[in-house]
């Protein structure tokens, strides 16, 4: 269900709640398009466009090995997508806020290495981002380095991605202020993913980031 995960997040980011991202600022790669080269080139292109007032987001849903993601052209030996390569591109970006979300087995090993009736809500969302005193990089990862990331046919999604979308759509807004922060999202996801998987999967939030960074606006 990894392609479903990607399309659902893409649709959310295009919606007012997700920031109404313009077509030129978003790229979705699934199935045969998700090669190592395409992923890295797309990251380089999009992230290099960002300036000090921008946010960049990388979302990966798929297979993972210790220290790498597995793109569609992995042949068992070559074309692993090393976390070091991803981190280098993130570090080069001038964006104030950087968010990496990964729904993949062993993703915890990454640690070691505006134009609609909803315009006021969107403008408030971006205003909060711009006025936070500090930025940084947040990594929201589906599982510890020694854990698998699970999916169930009943959800038709990865468990992590299922609660990611629920949280972004408003269920993580615990203080009721109509915005979901990265800290609220993580707390919601940690509790629910752990519960659903009977403590077999433990999401991780790490990095040097502002804990009040908003990730969604609620209608």
């Amino acid at each position: 269900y990894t392609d479903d995960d990607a399309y659902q997040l893409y649709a959310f980011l295009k919606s007012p709640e997700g920031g109404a991202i313009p077509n030129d600022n978003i790229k979705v790669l699934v199935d045969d398009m998700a090669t190592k080269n395409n992923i890295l080139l797309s990251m380089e292109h999009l992230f290099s466009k960002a300036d000090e007032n921008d946010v960049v987001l990388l979302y990966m849903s798929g297979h993972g090995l210790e220290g790498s993601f597995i793109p569609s052209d992995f042949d068992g030996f070559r074309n692993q997508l090393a976390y070091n390569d991803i981190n280098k591109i993130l570090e080069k970006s001038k964006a104030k806020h950087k968010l990496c979300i990964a729904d993949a087995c062993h993703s915890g090993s990454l640690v070691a290495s505006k134009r609609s009736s909803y315009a006021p809500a969107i403008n408030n969302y971006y205003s909060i981002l711009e006025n936070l005193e500090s930025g940084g990089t947040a990594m929201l990862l589906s599982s510890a380095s020694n854990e698998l990331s699970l999916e169930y046919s009943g959800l038709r999604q990865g468990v992590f991605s299922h609660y990611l979308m629920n949280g972004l759509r408003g269920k993580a807004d615990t203080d009721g202020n109509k915005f979901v922060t990265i800290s609220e999202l993580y707390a919601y996801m940690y509790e629910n993913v752990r519960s659903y998987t009977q403590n077999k999967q433990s999401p991780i939030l790490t990095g040097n980031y502002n804990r009040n960074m908003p990730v969604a606006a609620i209608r």
Side-chain angles (χ1 to χ4, degrees):
Y1 304 114
T2 56
D3 52 351
D4 294 336
D5 292 340
Y7 282 128
Q8 286 201 39
L9 185 62
Y10 175 80
F12 173 79
L13 293 171
K14 295 289 294 176
S15 74
E17 298 93 329
I21 307 300
N23 289 334
D24 289 345
N25 290 352
I26 190 168
K27 181 82 170 179
V28 59
L29 299 170
V30 298
D31 299 330
D32 291 344
M33 291 298 296
T35 64
K36 177 181 178 179
N37 195 49
N38 280 351
I39 293 169
L40 292 175
L41 286 176
S42 295
M43 287 179 63
E44 288 273 12
H45 173 68
L46 288 174
F47 292 4
S48 66
K49 293 169 59 176
D51 64 25
E52 291 81 359
N53 293 317
D54 288 328
V55 181
V56 295
L57 165 65
L58 171 66
Y59 170 76
M60 303 281 292
S61 180
H63 295 294
L65 296 174
E66 189 80 17
S68 65
F69 293 120
I70 302 304
S72 64
D73 56 342
F74 177 64
D75 63 4
F77 299 96
R78 294 171 296 181
N79 295 328
Q80 293 185 37
L81 183 55
Y83 293 157
N84 285 339
D85 292 337
I86 292 171
N87 282 328
K88 286 176 184 177
I89 297 175
L90 284 169
E91 288 170 1
K92 282 196 302 182
S93 174
K94 296 179 181 178
K96 180 177 182 180
H97 300 283
K98 304 168 189 179
L99 179 56
C100 176
I101 302 177
D103 188 353
C105 295
H106 313 295
S107 57
S109 60
L110 180 57
V111 175
S113 53
K114 293 183 194 171
R115 306 295 178 260
S116 71
S117 60
Y118 303 111
I122 296 173
N123 290 337
N124 288 338
Y125 171 78
Y126 286 121
S127 178
I128 291 173
L129 282 169
E130 290 173 6
N131 290 311
L132 288 176
E133 291 185 1
S134 60
T137 302
M139 295 184 177
L140 181 55
L141 312 172
S142 61
S143 57
S145 61
N146 61 342
E147 292 178 339
L148 301 178
S149 293
L150 306 175
E151 63 179 20
Y152 291 99
S153 58
L155 296 178
R156 296 193 62 82
Q157 275 189 287
V159 177
F160 175 88
S161 290
H162 173 76
Y163 286 109
L164 170 69
M165 295 308 308
N166 282 353
L168 290 172
R169 289 175 176 137
K171 291 190 176 180
D173 181 23
T174 53
D175 62 8
N177 70 347
K178 300 297 183 181
F179 292 98
V180 177
T181 67
I182 186 65
S183 298
E184 286 178 316
L185 180 62
Y186 172 67
Y188 169 80
M189 293 181 64
Y190 183 86
E191 178 180 353
N192 284 278
V193 170
R194 289 271 294 172
S195 175
Y196 196 97
T197 63
Q198 299 181 336
N199 300 329
K200 295 177 182 176
Q201 183 176 335
S202 305
I204 294 171
L205 177 61
T206 188
N208 179 20
Y209 61 94
N210 190 311
R211 64 186 308 276
N212 295 315
M213 176 172 60
V215 291
I218 311 303
R219 290 194 249 182

